Amino acid sequence: MNAELPMIGRKIRQANREILRNSYCTHQIEESVPYAHCSMRTYSRMPPIGIAPDDAANAQPSRLASLDMSTSDSAPLRVLYLVHDLSDPAVDKRTIMLRDGGARVTVAGFRRTPEPIAEVAGTPAINLGQTQNGGFLQRIIAVLQIVLSIRKYRHLFLDSDVVIARNLEMLAIGVRGQSSVNPAPKLIYESLDIHRLLLDRGIVGRVLRGLEGWLSKRAAALITSSPAFVENYFKPLSQVQLPVVLIENKVYSGETALPGTSEIVRPAAPPWKIGWFGAIRCRKSLDLLSELVKRAEGLVEVTIRGRPAYNEFADFARSTTETPGLRFGGAYRNPVDLDQMYGNIHFTWAIDMFEEGQNSTWLLPNRLYEGGRHGSVPLAVADVETGHKLAELGIGRNFPVLTVDALLDFFRTLTAAEYQAMSFAARSIPAATWSFTRQDCVELVAALRSAGST
């Protein structure tokens, strides 16, 4: 990786110059960064970051006030969704939410699969090319190629009212496309993970943060999924200064009303079953769970479902086929398969140590909400954002120090009554904590329509 850094820097600067030549950005960034906690049910106006609640009355109004939640009878909002991976299930969910909120959605992006993606959640997909997990240099080159050939895609921007750019690489394309048409569509930056290179304290990190801050000047708002991303990256380190809309990774399955309390009743007896579902990229989790089932001697079983990042593991297939008590069940359809998946486990592995001290410490993973929706008891590390969330809700099991011995001690001493109490607490959390409704989707589209208005 170190040998690639000079080349990466050159590619970033080249892309930066190309975008700069074709951009006509003139507006100024506000000095304060408005921050709204948006559960999607209500978009509450909050004081700017850095202003204590008691001082909020004296704060100057910000552009966050323009995120009006009122609905409109006007024509459907035309949304162009630029994504880094067309095959990502989270892209399906956001596309469905936008469409159910009344928007007309076009999806364009890169893919991580060898074959082109025909559609995303029933919406025809526009393939921009294939990129690789972890292939940062290759992704920069792919983005640069699109930036240089943006005229091929001008019609997408001409036919859009709002462009949502998911991740930094798509923000670069969004800015270039926005500047190529008149009138220009509104641009929204969506950042749901903080790449480790953005946190680098060397030249590459400074260049990337500078590029991110400069590109974000063209955007009207920032969408992110965890308050810890704001407090630990966007507030102290990033150069992005935008109104922040917090949209958590809640479950959405098209309901017009929130579901009731989960009625799934699980046997309060061993073998205790753990589910590790979603983005499977944490080698340390696989090592811990493999060792746990070996030493537990039938007391604990682990099921893995989702999309493994195979490049992050020494031999994922061997680990999941040759370890008794641990199995990989393949990918799953969200939300279609969730009832069956979570109904067959006692505990959700709501733990990610892929980038400890950085992104993994700050995120609130999809599986936390999926498991919560289905009454599964979450397992977490205490001193991370997921652990803080569980402590606030009073559910689950937080491990101050996560080791195989700590896990073994927990399961060896767990009684039926203790599990039943934990399960009851998990199933008693209001459904709005874990789930969106169709009305939430309507409010999301209304927020996009009014973002950046004065």
Side-chain angles (χ1 to χ4, degrees):
M1 181 65 192
N2 289 338
E4 295 181 350
L5 294 185
M7 187 178 298
I8 290 174
R10 288 195 298 274
K11 292 293 183 182
I12 292 171
R13 289 192 291 274
Q14 183 180 354
N16 201 343
R17 287 195 297 270
E18 173 62 26
I19 296 168
L20 182 60
R21 282 197 299 269
N22 294 281
S23 175
Y24 50 83
C25 174
T26 58
H27 74 266
Q28 298 295 315
I29 301 179
E30 298 174 18
E31 292 183 1
S32 59
V33 183
Y35 174 40
H37 179 278
C38 302
S39 68
M40 292 289 300
R41 176 150 296 275
T42 57
Y43 280 71
S44 55
R45 185 177 171 192
M46 298 292 287
I49 287 177
I51 298 178
D54 292 341
D55 297 328
N58 299 321
Q60 293 299 311
S62 71
R63 282 188 290 168
L64 186 60
S66 68
L67 297 184
D68 182 12
M69 291 289 85
S70 60
T71 58
S72 172
D73 294 328
S74 59
L77 189 70
R78 300 171 302 169
V79 176
L80 172 59
Y81 194 20
L82 298 176
V83 302
H84 68 299
D85 183 5
L86 291 166
S87 61
D88 186 345
V91 172
D92 286 53
K93 180 173 73 172
R94 183 72 84 234
T95 300
I96 294 170
M97 291 179 66
L98 291 167
R99 194 170 59 214
D100 285 3
R104 196 191 79 190
V105 186
T106 301
V107 184
F110 298 105
R111 68 182 190 276
R112 301 290 168 84
T113 58
E115 298 300 322
I117 304 294
E119 63 178 38
V120 172
T123 298
I126 298 168
N127 286 254
L128 301 180
Q130 183 183 8
T131 56
Q132 305 295 331
N133 280 325
F136 191 69
L137 178 58
Q138 186 261 343
R139 287 160 61 183
I140 288 177
I141 294 171
V143 169
L144 184 57
Q145 288 172 339
I146 300 300
V147 166
L148 293 172
S149 60
I150 200 66
R151 290 187 178 278
K152 291 171 53 179
Y153 306 100
R154 284 185 74 247
H155 64 283
L156 300 177
F157 295 87
L158 281 169
D159 195 33
S160 301
D161 303 307
V162 172
V163 177
I164 303 176
R166 189 181 181 108
N167 289 4
L168 177 57
E169 59 212 87
M170 306 316 294
L171 181 62
I173 294 172
V175 167
R176 179 65 186 95
Q178 182 195 50
S179 68
S180 71
V181 298
N182 189 17
K186 190 181 305 180
L187 183 62
I188 307 293
Y189 179 28
E190 185 176 48
S191 178
L192 308 184
D193 285 292
I194 311 301
H195 195 282
R196 59 184 177 273
L197 288 181
L198 281 167
L199 300 167
D200 178 74
R201 298 290 177 162
I203 182 62
V204 170
R206 291 196 297 272
V207 169
L208 284 174
R209 288 191 297 274
L211 177 62
E212 181 188 48
W214 182 81
L215 291 171
S216 70
K217 293 180 182 182
R218 292 299 305 273
L222 166 70
I223 294 175
T224 193
S225 58
S226 171
F229 289 150
V230 178
E231 295 302 320
N232 293 283
Y233 175 67
F234 287 109
K235 180 179 174 181
L237 188 59
S238 171
Q239 297 178 31
V240 174
Q241 298 187 53
L242 290 171
V244 175
V245 180
L246 180 66
I247 304 177
E248 297 176 62
N249 289 317
K250 296 183 182 182
V251 177
Y252 178 63
S253 53
E255 293 113 334
T256 56
L258 288 168
T261 301
S262 173
E263 298 298 328
I264 299 174
V265 178
R266 301 160 175 89
W272 302 112
K273 298 180 180 180
I274 301 172
W276 179 22
F277 305 143
I280 309 301
R281 58 187 181 180
C282 178
R283 183 187 305 177
K284 189 171 181 179
S285 287
L286 182 60
D287 291 344
L288 276 170
L289 291 171
S290 298
E291 186 66 19
L292 171 65
V293 297
K294 289 176 184 176
R295 293 175 58 184
E297 299 178 333
L299 181 66
V300 178
E301 295 179 356
V302 174
T303 299
I304 303 173
R305 295 285 303 272
R307 299 199 316 160
Y310 291 104
N311 59 301
E312 298 296 338
F313 300 97
D315 193 339
F316 182 83
R318 181 176 180 179
S319 297
T320 55
T321 56
E322 298 184 6
T323 305
L326 185 148
R327 73 178 190 91
F328 175 56
Y332 62 92
R333 297 166 297 166
N334 184 340
V336 177
D337 295 333
L338 297 185
D339 286 351
Q340 182 270 333
M341 287 165 47
Y342 285 94
N344 288 327
I345 63 169
H346 298 94
F347 297 92
T348 301
W349 186 259
I351 294 169
D352 186 291
M353 296 169 286
F354 176 59
E355 293 175 337
E356 289 183 278
Q358 298 181 342
N359 189 73
S360 295
T361 299
W362 308 328
L363 57 74
L364 291 171
N366 284 278
R367 55 183 167 267
L368 171 66
Y369 298 89
E370 295 171 357
R373 161 78 174 259
H374 294 86
S376 175
V377 177
L379 304 176
V381 179
D383 195 25
V384 301
E385 189 67 12
T386 302
H388 299 162
K389 180 86 170 180
L390 298 188
E392 177 186 331
L393 295 172
I395 61 171
R397 174 59 188 260
N398 272 335
F399 292 89
V401 179
L402 185 65
T403 63
V404 175
D405 287 340
L407 289 165
L408 273 173
D409 183 65
F410 169 68
F411 285 111
R412 283 172 174 167
T413 59
L414 181 63
T415 66
E418 289 171 337
Y419 171 75
Q420 288 170 338
M422 296 175 77
S423 178
F424 178 79
R427 289 184 288 113
S428 298
I429 299 300
T433 304
W434 312 120
S435 302
F436 290 136
T437 66
R438 190 176 292 262
Q439 179 58 33
D440 295 320
C441 302
V442 172
E443 294 176 359
L444 167 60
V445 173
L448 295 175
R449 186 185 296 275
S450 62
S453 302
T454 56

